[in-house]
Amino acid sequence: MSKEAGQEQRVSRGAGIRVREADLGARSLIGSGAATEVHRLQAFTVPGHQGGLAFVSIRDRAATQSDSAALSQLVAMRWALDAGERATLDGIAAWPVAVVEGDDGAVVGCLVPLAPHPFYYVPSDDSKQNKAPQSAKWLVVAPKRARRAGAAALGERDLVARCTVLARVSLLFELLHRNGIVFGDLSERSVLFGAGEVAEAFVVGGEGAAVAHAGDDEPRLQRNSAGWAAPESFPEMPEGDDRTDVSLSTVPSVQTVGTDRYKLALLILRVLAPAGDGLERSRDADRMRSVLDETGQRMMHDGLGDDPVGRPTASEWYQYLRGVIIANLSAPVISRVSVSPALVAEGDEVRLTVEVSGASRLTIEMPGRADITRDVGSRVVTERFTARQTGRIGIRVSNEHGEATAVTNVVRVLPVPTPSHLAVATPVVPEGLGVLPDLSSLEAAMGISLAPVSGASGSSGASGSSGPEAQARSPFDRVAELRRGLDADAMPLRDVLRIGVEAERVSRERLFPSFEEFLDDVASATDEVVEPDSRTDDPPRNRDRL
């Protein structure tokens, strides 16, 4: 008897489950995959199963990954489990319960349980209100996209629900691996989730699983979903082959328990640290740094490593995720609080780091300013804010089960001086310059009175005039005279700023010469001698250079 015949006979003898396609009765198409079509059966049932059934028909029975003997082995494995394990398997996965054969006796597909009601949603863009499977892709993308599509949107910080879904998948993989089965084509579309009071998971695609390769049999090829293939799946691809990009490959390959563990770690990474738009295929284990503790981070790095033997088992992931769930179902714990720097100037930035487990909300209480409240979903929370007042910073974290508090060391805040007056000294100009610019425009802008001096002749702007009266009423003297009428020690800062603005405006209008022009005028005045005018008794004057 051939190996295949013996395996199929074991199915029939152990379970009595082998049905003909012609006996399935009425059916309706509800979905299709790369190699299969799924039909809902209207009334057909099998002994020992409660609930609806679907017929998964193999579209291309000649494909290398289509193996009727392997399908028969999957059915036999289920019936070989004890009652408790079989109930666990049926509650987590759409596992084959019967082999379906065609009129010629060849295997054409299998029967699998239908996913229960919580694992469906009605797409918002479907006018016919048809239900669609609620896959884990809505846990990988940003929650806002799930809401827009009409699917359940678990918050990115809802670790309890997300870890519950992942723990159930880990439990399934541990059950399969313990019984020598490799799941193979795990992806975000393989996992359905329900977001009720307690999150649930239901894995589909079990008909593509295979018995682990023992070395003496011809290994079975299993499909890969784009972005999910393990790196060792294609070790000998030729250079330049499009399939060398493992992150995009969908080529069937020989898979092992090690590749299952890689894909499980990848699922955990993408569900616990949603990538958002454009990053759904991330494989960066460091994205777990703010979500998991050191143990979880180490497991993630090992799980996505190149060594299949060093990857955490499904059982180890289940135990770890269970611990995360328990931690988030009790009062939160603050393990570390740090603030830096401890000495800042008022208005400078302070960085607060809080390491916490099990918290859903965090409140920062600061002296001199309003509290800051944040939703928490990560293990390490970092907040930046400006310091206003010296004191300690209070930390309060909470969840549905309680709260915890802590305080930081004293943060000292140094006040920044804010002078209201700025002293301005009277400028002193050497008399030897001989030629001074006319400051009348600036004086007018400053509101300086130009009251004439009795007995003075000529314009007040003739700064080059000689004689005691002209020297007593020079522009700088008038400024000093005005200053003595004001506050002798200080001038309001706003007035200084106003003077600077007006001076800049006057300068732009070129009421003052540039510095180079001013020096040229001084040099010209000292070199040029003006002859006395014989027709007047007035003393000689320098030319007005303005």
Side-chain angles (χ1 to χ4, degrees):
M1 180 183 297
S2 68
K3 182 189 307 182
E4 180 175 335
Q7 291 164 340
E8 294 185 359
Q9 183 180 15
R10 186 170 66 250
V11 175
S12 300
R13 191 169 56 244
I17 300 300
R18 189 177 183 90
V19 300
R20 294 173 56 86
E21 183 180 2
D23 297 334
L24 298 180
R27 71 195 75 167
S28 58
L29 182 67
I30 59 175
S32 62
T36 60
E37 290 182 350
V38 183
H39 301 262
R40 182 195 303 272
L41 301 183
Q42 301 297 330
F44 190 87
T45 62
V46 296
H49 174 73
Q50 303 294 327
L53 289 174
F55 168 44
V56 180
S57 65
I58 301 173
R59 182 183 293 120
D60 183 7
R61 277 178 272 170
T64 55
Q65 62 272 14
S66 176
D67 188 338
S68 59
L71 193 58
S72 300
Q73 288 176 312
L74 300 181
V75 175
M77 186 276 293
R78 174 182 177 274
W79 286 104
L81 297 174
D82 61 40
E85 289 182 326
R86 188 182 311 129
T88 299
L89 178 64
D90 291 346
I92 304 175
W95 200 258
V97 298
V99 175
V100 180
E101 62 181 20
D103 294 336
D104 58 357
V107 174
V108 297
C110 63
L111 299 184
V112 299
L114 283 171
H117 173 72
F119 301 106
Y120 293 90
Y121 76 103
V122 178
S124 57
D125 58 355
D126 189 346
S127 59
K128 297 183 179 180
Q129 299 293 293
N130 293 320
K131 292 182 179 180
Q134 187 166 258
S135 71
K137 79 172 186 177
W138 301 120
L139 299 178
V140 175
V141 301
K144 61 182 180 181
R145 291 181 57 186
R147 284 191 291 269
R148 287 199 299 264
L154 293 182
E156 292 184 8
R157 299 175 175 85
D158 192 347
L159 291 182
V160 172
R162 290 176 178 271
C163 287
T164 299
V165 172
L166 295 170
R168 292 181 181 274
V169 178
S170 300
L171 181 61
L172 170 65
F173 272 50
E174 173 59 23
L175 176 62
L176 297 180
H177 293 167
R178 193 168 61 239
N179 286 275
I181 302 296
V182 176
F183 186 83
D185 190 17
L186 178 68
S187 73
E188 77 277 14
R189 297 182 182 276
S190 306
V191 180
L192 308 184
F193 75 97
E197 184 175 348
V198 177
E200 300 177 78
F202 195 74
V203 179
V204 298
E207 67 279 358
V211 175
H213 178 49
D216 53 346
D217 299 329
E218 183 70 22
R220 181 191 174 193
L221 298 180
Q222 293 176 272
R223 292 186 178 274
N224 289 289
S225 294
W228 289 83
E232 67 267 23
S233 296
F234 310 103
E236 299 178 356
M237 285 294 182
E239 189 68 26
D241 193 313
D242 292 340
R243 296 175 295 178
T244 56
D245 188 350
V246 175
S247 66
L248 300 177
S249 179
T250 59
V251 177
S253 64
V254 176
Q255 302 189 49
T256 64
V257 171
T259 61
D260 268 5
R261 292 174 179 175
Y262 181 91
K263 293 182 180 182
L264 178 60
L266 203 56
L267 179 70
I268 295 171
L269 168 70
R270 294 175 179 179
V271 170
L272 290 188
D277 298 342
L279 296 175
E280 290 87 352
R281 292 178 177 173
S282 172
R283 297 173 185 244
D284 183 7
D286 288 337
R287 292 177 52 238
M288 287 285 96
R289 185 172 300 168
S290 63
V291 180
L292 304 181
D293 58 17
E294 293 182 1
T295 300
Q297 294 176 48
R298 184 173 60 255
M299 291 177 66
M300 183 57 64
H301 277 278
D302 293 342
L304 298 180
D306 294 333
D307 180 14
V309 178
R311 293 167 184 162
T313 66
S315 176
E316 290 170 338
W317 275 119
Y318 175 79
Q319 295 297 332
Y320 177 80
L321 293 169
R322 183 174 178 272
V324 174
I325 295 170
I326 293 174
N328 282 270
L329 290 178
S330 57
V333 176
I334 300 174
S335 55
R336 183 175 66 90
V337 176
S338 65
V339 61
S340 64
L343 179 64
V344 295
E346 182 180 355
D348 281 356
E349 187 178 76
V350 172
R351 177 176 178 176
L352 175 69
T353 301
V354 181
E355 188 171 333
V356 63
S357 61
S360 59
R361 293 184 70 80
L362 178 144
T363 300
I364 304 173
E365 302 169 342
M366 297 167 291
R369 59 172 297 171
D371 295 348
I372 297 176
T373 300
R374 295 282 187 268
D375 290 336
V376 178
S378 58
R379 183 183 59 87
V380 179
V381 181
T382 300
E383 189 72 30
R384 297 175 184 270
F385 49 86
T386 55
R388 302 295 185 195
Q389 183 177 322
T390 296
R392 297 178 183 271
I393 300 174
I395 308 300
R396 185 172 71 254
V397 295
S398 62
N399 60 18
E400 296 178 354
H401 310 282
E403 67 175 33
T405 59
V407 293
T408 68
N409 295 328
V410 175
V411 178
R412 300 193 180 279
V413 180
L414 302 179
V416 177
T418 54
S420 58
H421 292 79
L422 182 66
V424 178
T426 302
V428 178
V429 180
E431 297 180 358
L433 289 178
V435 177
L436 295 175
D438 187 355
L439 300 180
S440 58
S441 297
L442 179 59
E443 292 173 343
M446 295 169 56
I448 300 175
S449 175
L450 299 178
V453 179
S454 60
S457 61
S459 170
S460 62
S463 304
S465 300
S466 60
E469 293 180 352
Q471 293 177 358
R473 295 299 296 170
S474 70
F476 290 107
D477 288 336
R478 290 198 294 275
V479 171
E481 184 177 287
L482 178 62
R483 182 173 179 269
R484 285 193 295 271
L486 301 174
D487 186 354
D489 297 325
M491 177 182 293
L493 181 59
R494 61 178 178 274
D495 291 344
V496 174
L497 297 177
R498 180 174 59 82
I499 292 171
V501 172
E502 293 297 336
E504 181 182 3
R505 181 182 64 79
V506 172
S507 177
R508 286 199 303 268
E509 296 175 358
R510 299 194 61 79
L511 293 178
F512 290 108
S514 66
F515 186 67
E516 291 79 5
E517 293 172 337
F518 181 77
L519 293 181
D520 290 342
D521 290 342
V522 173
S524 300
T526 55
D527 294 340
E528 182 179 354
V529 177
V530 181
E531 295 293 336
D533 191 342
S534 59
R535 295 172 295 176
T536 179
D537 295 334
D538 293 340
R541 300 174 180 266
N542 290 332
R543 295 179 182 177
D544 188 354
R545 296 294 178 179
L546 296 179

